[in-house]
Amino acid sequence: MKVIFDTDPGIDDAMALLYLSKLPKIDLLGVTTVVGNADIATTTRNALFLKQRFGLSAPVVRGAGRTLDGVDKAEPVIVHGVNGLGEIDIPAIDDSDLHPAEASQFIIDTLKAHPGEVTLIAVGRMTNLALALRAEPDVARLGKQVVIMGGAFGYQGRSGNITPAAEANIFGDPVAADEIFAAEWPVAVVGLDVTHDIILDTDYLALLSQEVGENGALLSQMCEHYARFYREIMGLSGVVGHDLLAVTYALHPEWFETRRGPVLVQRDGIAVGQTIQMPETRKGGHPDWANRPPQTVCIGVDASKVLAHYRETVSR
């Protein structure tokens, strides 16, 4: 499976990158960065650090530092720390290995080079994908699928995490997210409806630290900051594995319950960033949804299989 991983590292992004580094079924073609969990310079530095640390051969490609809605958002320091990776010590990083292209152009060029073969896994704001679409709208027909970590549709009573209506990645650039849902490529949405079933509790993290070696210890160190947020804000004993679940979906969609139908993102107002799906089975419906392609939203997941697979994979 050929993959571009679009990311804003980010502690849970680091979990997903370690996962990708251990999956022989994945041909990782590139790691594209976007503003989100930190500014673009920091997320790109973090991606280069993780590439070197995890032994990835895929190029790191710097992406968008500004969102399409033109609104600056505060960085989630309380969640990921000032440096985006839980305040671990990060050595000076040689950026000479940084790919010379812009992320949106890299996405276009890669989809053209491998028509119908590339899965885009996007676990940050959707800005790079939307910029690629704006530059060449027909490129959507060349993608195999897009799997995003984002959104919240109210299943199991789960709503937004940045506002009561909106999940952070969609809220971060609602214009870009709305544009990618409207495009002619298949999108699978792995949102808060399912990611909050993936709890890496204290015992699980301790096992990773023991079984995975130095990189397991690194994840455990990052997660000390992450776990403090989840403990103090949500009362959890552990952390939520948001971004790793998008990788799991690309590999094992059969572990998920889904619903089909077009998706629209609220672009402004008090509910900006809210994701709303019209079920494919509904007769008629509002034209703002009816004129869009149906997309796939995850509404349930076999969490035990996911957690077992992640532990088994990264422990190899």
Side-chain angles (χ1 to χ4, degrees):
M1 182 186 298
K2 292 178 171 58
V3 166
I4 295 174
F5 189 64
D6 192 69
T7 180
D8 59 341
I11 296 165
D12 53 333
D13 307 70
M15 293 177 182
L17 274 168
L18 180 60
Y19 200 11
L20 286 166
S21 76
K22 300 284 189 175
L23 288 164
K25 293 181 179 179
I26 297 291
D27 180 9
L28 187 60
L29 301 179
V31 177
T32 52
T33 64
V34 69
V35 63
N37 288 326
D39 61 50
I40 190 61
T42 301
T43 60
T44 304
R45 185 276 314 273
N46 290 352
L48 287 167
F49 166 67
L50 294 169
K51 167 185 169 150
Q52 295 168 17
R53 183 65 188 251
F54 297 159
L56 296 167
S57 59
V60 172
V61 192
R62 180 180 171 125
R66 299 271 303 173
T67 55
L68 300 185
D69 67 345
V71 179
D72 292 326
K73 287 94 177 176
E75 295 167 9
V77 172
I78 189 174
V79 184
H80 296 276
V82 173
N83 73 358
L85 294 178
E87 305 306 343
I88 63 167
D89 291 330
I90 300 175
I93 300 300
D94 180 6
D95 65 359
S96 62
D97 194 32
L98 192 64
H99 194 282
E102 286 284 328
S104 57
Q105 189 61 50
F106 178 84
I107 290 169
I108 292 168
D109 293 343
T110 304
L111 292 179
K112 286 183 174 180
H114 306 281
E117 298 182 45
V118 178
T119 294
L120 291 160
I121 302 177
V123 297
R125 299 173 186 178
M126 313 303 156
T127 315
N128 290 330
L129 280 65
L131 287 171
L133 287 173
R134 287 186 175 190
E136 297 201 32
D138 289 343
V139 80
R141 297 190 179 94
L142 301 179
K144 179 179 180 181
Q145 68 173 335
V146 179
V147 181
I148 72 163
M149 189 276 118
F153 294 83
Y155 291 94
Q156 303 182 70
R158 292 168 184 166
S159 56
N161 59 358
I162 195 74
T163 75
E167 179 274 331
N169 287 339
I170 306 298
F171 179 84
D173 196 342
V175 172
D178 196 45
E179 290 180 10
I180 71 129
F181 284 125
E184 295 293 332
W185 50 17
V187 180
V189 187
V190 181
L192 303 185
D193 310 271
V194 288
T195 63
H196 276 275
D197 287 331
I198 309 305
I199 308 298
L200 288 69
D201 64 22
T202 304
D203 291 341
Y204 186 96
L205 291 170
L207 287 171
L208 289 185
S209 183
Q210 295 167 15
E211 297 172 354
V212 182
E214 291 184 357
N215 287 330
L218 180 72
L219 282 188
S220 182
Q221 185 183 355
M222 290 180 195
C223 284
E224 289 177 10
H225 184 97
Y226 206 30
R228 189 178 310 121
F229 164 78
Y230 281 109
R231 182 173 61 251
E232 294 175 359
I233 302 300
M234 300 184 64
L236 295 178
S237 177
V239 302
V240 179
H242 295 290
D243 292 350
L244 71 87
L245 195 57
V247 177
T248 309
Y249 180 87
L251 290 166
H252 291 289
E254 70 275 11
W255 293 349
F256 294 77
E257 180 185 358
T258 61
R259 187 177 78 169
R260 296 271 294 161
V263 176
L264 185 144
V265 177
Q266 184 68 29
R267 293 186 176 214
D268 51 27
I270 194 170
V272 61
Q274 184 177 19
T275 47
I276 310 166
Q277 184 183 48
M278 184 178 77
E280 194 174 39
T281 54
R282 177 170 172 167
K283 305 296 183 183
H286 195 283
D288 285 350
W289 281 266
N291 293 332
R292 291 182 170 219
Q295 308 294 8
T296 300
V297 171
C298 293
I299 62 174
V301 63
D302 190 329
S304 61
K305 285 185 178 178
V306 174
L307 289 166
H309 187 262
Y310 183 77
R311 180 182 167 193
E312 173 189 327
T313 300
V314 300
S315 298
R316 288 172 183 161

